[in-house]
Amino acid sequence: MSETGQESDDPVERAQVGFRDEFGETNGSGNLEVARAPGRVNLVGGHTDYNDGFCLPVAIDRHVAVAAEARDDEQIRVYSTDFDERATFAPDDDPTGWVAYVAAVASVLREDRNLPGASLAIASSVPTGAGLSSSAAIELAVGRAMLEVAGQELSPTDLALACWRAERDGVGVECGILDQFAVGLCEPNAALFLDCRTRVFEHVPIAGDVGILVVDTGVSHELTDSGYNDRVRECEAAVSTLQNAAGSDIQSLRDVDEDLLETHGDELDDVLYRRARHVVTENERVVAARDALENGDFDRVGAAMLASHESLRDDYEVSCPELDAAVELAAETDGVYGARMTGGGFGGSVVALVAGDALERAEQSIRSVVADRVGKNAQVFTCRPSEGVRVVSPR
Ligand code: ADP
Ligand code: MG
């Protein structure tokens, strides 16, 4: 709560207020620093990242903020203002729950450098477990804040990679690099075209007046418990069968095109064939959408998004009735170019690309029926393509 008794919408402000409430004005060891990391939507490129493929995310103007101060011991004390929960841990501890994300980042960063302890307060406007990557936003904001209070530097790519390792090895989600690169490297008014094999990326300016609309179905996925890691296994199995059939040049589904899949597809059982077909066609859709976005051809971007959703629903089987209903609702709304599920699936959110001058009307029209059509916990909001993680001046 601020002095007026009103809780602010701004996570940067809430993190600072939370810090003072929890830890006192300062610990006397240095200046309070605040890092802010966005959530993200992915326009096209679902489940391609761990297959060495392409994706096309956009950072959104919803953020996780972390207010931080160095400590003169090695401990980390962390307070989540949203959960009103706190924890204290030392470098060798292995905390669970949301604290695991913080501990995993600290532990990966400490592998290569001497990093002092820190007091951290977290506040977020990224819905949790909604497929908008609150987890990567926490990781990048914690990482950037801890480095800042220690006076240490790390390139944006190296920070993204450190946070990716933290989520994979420390938390146990066998994710690709999409979320951490999007949250770490996006620029305002641009999508990030990312080659997940080479890690080469390109900022693709959004050439025209479009807005982004998110329908959060309110159905929360739990990535560690869901079929996410099963899909990783299935893709590995498809690669190993195709390798036996077509040769060792195939290291991942990135190395498979539609011709090769048609030639050797009968070696795969039906499920693995459909998993592979999704990844192969999805990579093509990402490249097509990148070119279309650059040319301001939003109809083509929208068509790629709708085709992506169908493929995730039918071939990859990671959608759910609420996501399908939200895509259908968005697609029939005036001014919407296209929509698809974003994030790992099994719940979470739908992203829609909307003509700028129709955005507000589309939001209102979807909001008026979303409870009936999608679910009683569903939420609709609009957002702007935003920048990746930053250190912001304390206010
Ligand atoms: P997503 O990244 O799509 O939001 P994940 O399941 O990958 O979903 O990550 C969600 C997890 O991140 C939560 O279960 C929680 O552990 C952590 N988290 C998200 N928001 C917060 C927050 N405001 N404070 C503390 N932990 C959070
Ligand atoms: Mg996540």
Side-chain angles (χ1 to χ4, degrees), residues 123-366:
S124 172
S125 58
V126 185
T128 299
L132 301 172
S133 206
S134 68
S135 63
I138 288 201
E139 290 152 11
L140 273 288
V142 164
R144 181 51 78 213
M146 284 193 69
L147 290 163
E148 190 68 19
V149 297
Q152 298 193 24
E153 306 248 332
L154 194 60
S155 75
T157 304
D158 285 341
L159 178 62
L161 286 172
C163 291
W164 167 63
R165 283 211 288 127
E167 178 138 358
R168 224 185 31 160
D169 303 341
V171 184
V173 183
E174 296 180 58
C175 57
I177 62 172
L178 159 64
D179 292 353
Q180 288 77 19
F181 271 66
V183 170
L185 296 155
C186 275
E187 294 289 347
N189 298 315
L192 185 80
F193 176 75
L194 175 61
D195 179 335
C196 298
R197 167 171 277 166
T198 62
R199 295 164 185 166
V200 171
F201 57 86
E202 176 193 330
H203 295 288
V204 183
I206 299 177
D209 180 24
V210 282
I212 286 166
L213 190 142
V214 170
V215 183
D216 171 4
T217 62
V219 179
S220 179
H221 66 104
E222 268 294 342
L223 283 185
T224 37
D225 298 338
S226 74
Y228 190 94
N229 288 352
D230 296 342
R231 292 297 178 279
V232 177
R233 292 286 93 73
E234 288 166 350
C235 290
E236 286 166 359
V239 167
S240 126
T241 304
L242 290 170
Q243 225 171 36
N244 289 334
S248 57
D249 288 355
I250 298 169
Q251 297 301 313
S252 70
L253 289 176
R254 162 70 175 275
D255 302 315
V256 178
D257 61 18
E258 286 196 76
D259 283 349
L260 191 142
L261 191 61
E262 285 321 308
T263 310
H264 298 285
D266 50 7
E267 307 280 334
L268 298 166
D269 70 27
D270 173 59
V271 168
L272 294 191
Y273 174 77
R274 286 186 291 114
R275 303 298 188 251
R277 181 168 64 184
H278 164 71
V279 175
V280 169
T281 57
E282 187 77 350
N283 279 328
E284 291 170 2
R285 284 186 286 270
V286 177
V287 173
R290 175 202 55 188
D291 297 346
L293 198 62
E294 246 164 6
N295 294 324
D297 185 349
F298 302 123
D299 284 319
R300 264 184 72 211
V301 180
M305 293 171 80
L306 289 165
S308 166
H309 186 76
E310 283 171 17
S311 179
L312 287 158
R313 182 191 64 199
D314 300 337
D315 274 354
Y316 218 65
E317 296 182 282
V318 288
S319 189
C320 64
E322 294 83 356
L323 285 169
D324 295 341
V327 167
E328 198 179 308
L329 173 58
E332 71 191 36
T333 302
D334 279 350
V336 172
Y337 292 110
R340 66 182 280 278
M341 52 162 276
T342 183
F346 310 104
S349 298
V350 158
V351 53
L353 191 69
V354 190
D357 59 3
L359 189 61
E360 219 169 287
R361 256 181 302 123
E363 183 187 13
Q364 279 165 12
S365 137
I366 292 175

